Amino acid sequence: MCGIVGYIGSKEAKDILIEGLKRLEYRGYDSAGIAMVIKDLEIKKSVGKIKNLQEKCCNWESKSSTGIAHTRWATHGAPTENNAHPHTSCDGKIALVHNGIIENYSALRSQLIKKGHQFKSETDTEVLVHLIEDYFTGDLKEAVIKALASVEGTYGIAVVSSECPDKIVAARNGSPLVLGVGKGENFIASDVAAILSYTDKVIYLDDKEVAEITINGITTCDIESNPTKKEISKIDWDLEAIEKGGFDHFMLKEIHDQPQALRNGLAGRIDVKTGTIHLGGLNFGVKELKNIDRIVIAACGTSWHAGLLAEFLFENLVAIPTEVEYASEFRYRNPVVNDKTLLIVISQSGETADTLAALREAKGKGAKTLGIINVVGSTIAREVDGGMYIHAGPEIGVASTKAFSAQVSALLMLALHFGRMRNLSIPKTIEISEALLKIPDQIETILKQSEEIKKIALKYAKFRDFLYLGRNISYPVALEGALKLKEISYIHAEGYPSAEMKHGPIALIDPDFPSVFVVPKDSLYEKVLSNMEEIKARSGKMIAVATEGDKEIAKIADDTIYVPKTHDLLTPLLTVIPLQLFSYHVAVARETDVDKPRNLAKSVTVE
Ligand code: M6R
């Protein structure tokens, strides 16, 4: 999705802004632009990759130490230079970059055109800069505040004016914005990754807050101009964590990060001797648990798959009715939620618009809310009543990998914790906890098979369709495997519960339609074997992800990838790893843009 970077200080702003935009590339974008406050405003824009913008900026003679920049992911209007941000006022003295969507832009645009404003783009954003121009009488912040009063929708904005060259004004409502605090320089970014190489001290802007940023400091106020007090937070991710670390792609690095990501998330949370789980920040104890009669989980994409797994975990270990909802559907269904409902939202970014809306819908109806979140200080993390950070570290590849396993591990700890507050026995908690603590080492053994998995991937990379099948707790893993393949290799892949296959999808099977079976040696193993026989009888090719030592499976499947033995409830944490590697190697073989697949964005901050 769109990205914002702003700089004011004494260094060459252009270089800092371009570097910042590059660090935001992973979020997905299709055009980019930059505005420098020199004597007048100077703007450069380009379609496509940041390097196109960089080339245009090479010949830029003017130097400036104040500027704003943007990567745009098209919503209103095609990815063209005219539609790229920054947008400028009619007199060219104000420039603005914007993330989010202005819902009433059409009415505002008509009003502004009647007043004589001339529009240069098809975007919803452009109304903002004309509105600010309309209100501007010398005080940029005041004009921004007045303009925002007419706006419905979401925004994270940064605004500069050649009339006030010593400041940048920023504001947010529903679209993340952080302010970086430096020495004799300050920064704005929609994501800390953009500014982390300069400062690890940030101020998180809240919704309906406006900031004025100068070389010497940052002041903030609410949308009615009342000053607000802000704390400076320290980011504990280092730069190395957001770089590739020798791997060809972020996705491959992040797949290999998983053992450490899980260790980080588990650290200090499990006391195996007593079967106790320590979860600070949950704000949800025995009294609150007694008060609820159901759990609803809302999330999107891969996080939704983690939610589907959590349904098994909560029902097995806590025995509380649990439902999993697509966040985007939940919010418009008028869901039956009340103060006896616990809503758990799961989000890597903590900024997904649909998940945030589901959270607000449930909160509005009195539900208690918990978040399973990766990005510290993100909007969802700040709006939930309590929750757990998964501590997976920054996830840059658009295809989520380490966040998924860290989410599942966190949800398992949460289920054990809730289970202990109800009827889960200490021995069973200890048994599962011990198995969970072994998972990072076991993932390491699977990662060593990457080259073997690559050979299998090369055999199958030419196929156009795949069916992913699994049963019970392996069914969400099948869905996740299929999502990974389609996202990054653009191959059609569907996930199904394996027994459901005979009710329809089996009609698709022929020698050109391979299936991937997630078939660990658990209580339903024999039943899944029968499903595999059904595919074999129709000459379907099969890859199996199975448990080490299972000789039977190799007689049926064409190719088998083995994972170590673990507790039945924990198998997804192992079986998902070969599926991630398989998708990765297929995508590389098909020469797709693995880390930034077409049409996708890392953080989906629009509805
Ligand atoms: O940041 P979130 O976890 O809320 O994101 C949810 C989905 O957009 C995300 O999981 C998406 O499906 C990924 N591209 C999956 O790889």
Side-chain angles (χ1 to χ4, degrees), residues 444-477:
E444 263 163 13
T445 69
I446 303 170
L447 294 173
K448 287 189 185 133
Q449 299 176 57
S450 183
E451 281 307 307
E452 296 307 308
I453 295 171
K454 182 175 170 183
K455 282 184 198 145
I456 298 174
L458 292 180
K459 263 173 77 181
Y460 288 84
K462 63 177 189 290
F463 289 103
R464 286 183 44 207
D465 307 278
F466 279 79
L467 201 54
Y468 278 69
L469 299 158
R471 205 145 178 199
N472 201 257
I473 202 156
S474 295
Y475 162 54
V477 180

Side-chain angles (χ1 to χ4, degrees), residues 300-303 347-349 352 398-400 407 483-484 487 604:
C300 304
T302 286
S303 299
S347 175
Q348 185 288 128
S349 61
T352 301
V398 164
S400 188
Q407 285 165 344
L483 177 65
K484 285 292 89 82
E487 275 187 305
V604 185

Side-chain angles (χ1 to χ4, degrees), residues 251 254-255 258 301-303 348 390 395-405 407 480 483-484 487-488 576 580 602:
M251 182 181 176
E254 287 156 10
I255 291 172
Q258 287 176 109
T302 286
S303 299
Q348 185 288 128
I390 61 172
E395 192 179 64
I396 311 288
V398 164
S400 188
T401 51
K402 63 176 175 175
F404 175 77
S405 45
Q407 285 165 344
E480 175 59 9
L483 177 65
K484 285 292 89 82
E487 275 187 305
I488 59 167
V576 76
Q580 296 169 344
K602 180 64 183 164

Side-chain angles (χ1 to χ4, degrees), residues 39 80 86 94 141 156 164 280 295-296 317 406 592:
K39 198 158 161 264
T80 60
I94 302 172
K141 187 177 83 180
C164 323
I295 297 175
V296 176
L317 302 171
T592 60

Side-chain angles (χ1 to χ4, degrees), residues 17-90:
L17 295 175
I18 298 271
E19 191 200 318
L21 291 185
K22 282 190 179 159
R23 295 208 183 274
L24 297 184
E25 276 192 295
Y26 74 92
R27 296 168 62 97
Y29 68 100
D30 39 47
S31 56
I34 181 166
M36 304 280 283
V37 188
I38 303 173
K39 198 158 161 264
D40 297 317
L41 290 183
E42 288 193 20
I43 314 276
K44 302 235 187 256
K45 300 184 186 185
S46 69
V47 173
K49 299 286 175 195
I50 307 284
K51 68 173 171 33
N52 301 344
L53 180 67
Q54 197 169 14
E55 274 161 23
K56 282 194 170 178
C57 293
C58 274
N59 307 325
W60 210 340
E61 304 239 309
S62 345
K63 291 207 180 302
S64 167
S65 47
T66 305
I68 53 176
H70 190 262
T71 45
R72 172 173 186 257
W73 187 78
T75 57
H76 297 60
T80 60
E81 279 193 19
N82 271 354
N83 289 334
H85 304 206
H87 291 287
T88 48
S89 54
C90 298

